[in-house]
Amino acid sequence: MAIDYENPKQMKRLVNALDWSKKELAHFQQQRMDALRQYVGHYYGQQGGCEEKIPVNLIHLFCQIYQRRLSVKSLRSLVTTRNRGYRAAAVEYGLAIDHQLNKIKPEAAINTAAQEAMFGIGMVQIGLSGDEIVVKPILFDDMILDLSAKTWDSISYIGHRFRPTLEWAKNNEEYDSKARAKLKGTEIGQDTDSMANEADTQSQQLTLGESRGVQEYADRVDLIQIYLPEEGEVVVMASNETERPLLVKKWKGPPGNNLGMYRKLAWSTVPGNLPPVPPVQLWRDLHDSTNRLVNKVIRQAERQKTILGVQRKAVMDGQKVVAVNDGDAIAMDHPDGINEFTTGGANQTTLGMVGWLRNLASYFAGNADSLGGLAASSGTLGQDQMLFESAGTQIEEMQSMMMDFSSDVVRDVAFWTLNDPILDIELERKIAGTDISFMFNFNPDRLQGDFTDYDFQIDPYSTTRRTPQQRLQAILTFIERVAVPMMPIMQQAGQTINTEALFKLIAQYSDTDEFLDLITFMDGEQNTDPGALVSMMRGATAPKRNGNGRPPTPGKSPLVDAEKAMMGKLMGAGDQAMV
């Protein structure tokens, strides 16, 4: 249905729909704010953190573990095509996309969306701003969603709130001149209208607390931007204006995306509903219960006292005991009249319950202890490796969703790269299997076919971070399992291993350049037996064996055994160890 934006009744109906959706979404935003207060703990900001102390911040811990496993680094594209005649063009197109990705660096926005999805919904906006491609995150507290829709494919509108400077908005010639003239500056959290931002659901409140009258350097104004899929239009209006929009224009973005300029990320969907069940909400009860009991145990421990009780006939002896130094001898007339008493102290059953809750929380977080490498969970190295791999299968689906989300962002970047009319990039292309390369200029006219003739994904290895130690381990594994066994075949082909390059890589990735000072490289000579070197290095770093011939369990924390013992008492096992 086409909207007549000059018709006050139709504009009022649109604004009423947006206002209703905001009120319905406020409940989910408030839950997110409550979870964020738990995430930052008691001491964040002036008044923004939670009131109670959080000694065991499971929400923060689990979010950090998942963020490390899900975050992306330098993205690289994989451009393919079914048309064999376009394959050379696909390579050049991929180089142009990689150039744009390196320039705009969308990884920060993608990782912010992944973190936001732990508390609600992650979202990014992709589009052209002037002649630059922009990828920016949209926080959940700024989102506008059509909650009357049952699926994302059937929404009538989607958008977000933003606060540009008043000067920028008034001088934006793309906006309607009459609507611009009515713009007025608004303060953070100012309730100018039902469409304005509400401070109690804004994550910025964690920093600002209950303060009002925030001093901003420049006047700003609250605006909203919405995309209407059925009309294929983008609308921008002031949050306190219901009569005349600032901007109405047709959307000419990437095809096949019902959300227009937006891409969303949700970890656990609910059938028939747009808001998902974020992981933090599943951990919240166990997090709260654990910290209530921990705070209780701490209060009990602080009330613990050790006192000396004396009978009236032994008062003088008691005074001597108090004054005597450790190890000294004193004469006592009534030693049987003196006794030491202990009151209060941490309740062992409550303490055991804390350990049980913590382990249960780790279980519901996909065996977070194993995912985060916090402590061993079993008695042998092999069992721990199996547990880690089993835990990894639970996060694989989230990693797959993250790759799909990143691929969608790359696809949109590819579209805007091709549809930038003034784009002209000088790039270098290397010919595979040779040392030859040549320079070329990429622009939209160079590409064969059109955007729909190409498929866009991301290089899976560009989404993961590898430490120098992991890279060194991969090199040594390659030498040991591939290069050394194939050495006879390599020698017949006149090939050998460049040990000088190997030593330099080892020195680089181990951050020990002094290794190179210990070796003299002879011109024209190469060590053709690196297997001995790798075996020696493996032996030097191999773990020592214990009495049963097994390597000791790495990362074993004494807290594990202590918690098992406490849980044993809780479950009625007395002093028996948990196995």
Side-chain angles (χ1 to χ4, degrees), residues 91-274:
V91 174
E92 295 182 351
Y93 195 8
L95 292 175
I97 296 171
D98 289 344
H99 174 85
Q100 295 288 67
L101 292 174
N102 185 60
K103 181 180 179 181
I104 64 180
K105 300 187 183 306
E107 297 82 12
I110 292 173
N111 291 334
T112 299
Q115 184 180 32
E116 187 70 76
M118 302 298 292
F119 297 88
I121 302 174
M123 187 178 292
V124 297
Q125 178 187 7
I126 310 103
L128 278 179
S129 178
D131 58 351
E132 298 289 336
I133 300 176
V134 177
V135 180
K136 63 180 182 180
I138 304 299
L139 300 182
F140 187 52
D141 47 19
D142 293 327
M143 291 181 192
I144 300 173
L145 301 176
D146 178 16
L147 293 187
S148 66
K150 291 185 177 182
T151 65
W152 288 92
D153 293 333
S154 61
I155 61 172
S156 298
Y157 55 84
I158 184 174
H160 76 285
R161 294 171 175 80
F162 62 106
R163 278 178 57 82
T165 62
L166 181 61
E167 180 182 6
W168 176 88
K170 280 183 169 293
N171 294 333
N172 191 340
E173 296 181 356
E174 193 177 14
Y175 289 171
D176 180 81
S177 59
K178 294 182 179 180
R180 278 188 288 161
K182 296 182 180 180
L183 291 177
K184 296 180 180 180
T186 55
E187 296 181 359
I188 294 178
Q190 179 180 343
D191 294 326
T192 58
D193 186 82
S194 59
M195 287 298 300
N197 291 333
E198 297 178 358
D200 58 348
T201 61
Q202 292 290 303
S203 54
Q204 196 175 13
Q205 187 185 7
L206 294 172
T207 300
L208 301 180
E210 300 296 332
S211 61
R212 290 292 184 266
V214 178
Q215 299 297 316
E216 295 183 284
Y217 175 72
D219 292 335
R220 293 183 175 272
V221 59
D222 289 310
L223 304 181
I224 64 174
Q225 172 183 289
I226 58 172
Y227 171 67
L228 306 172
E230 293 182 5
E231 292 77 11
E233 294 175 336
V234 180
V235 181
V236 178
M237 66 180 73
S239 62
N240 57 354
E241 177 61 49
T242 62
E243 296 181 0
R244 192 181 190 94
L246 287 162
L247 174 69
V248 177
K249 69 176 182 180
K250 284 292 183 180
W251 173 245
K252 298 180 180 179
N257 180 20
N258 190 57
L259 305 183
M261 68 288 297
Y262 302 105
R263 292 288 184 177
K264 59 91 177 175
L265 177 65
W267 297 125
S268 180
T269 59
V270 179
N273 296 268
L274 294 191

Side-chain angles (χ1 to χ4, degrees), residues 13 165 175 184 217 292-293 295 336 356 435 467 477 510 556 573:
R13 184 170 183 176
T165 62
Y175 289 171
K184 296 180 180 180
Y217 175 72
R292 280 198 299 268
L293 292 183
N295 282 321
D336 56 340
W356 178 76
D435 296 330
T467 65
T477 301
S510 62
K556 182 81 176 197

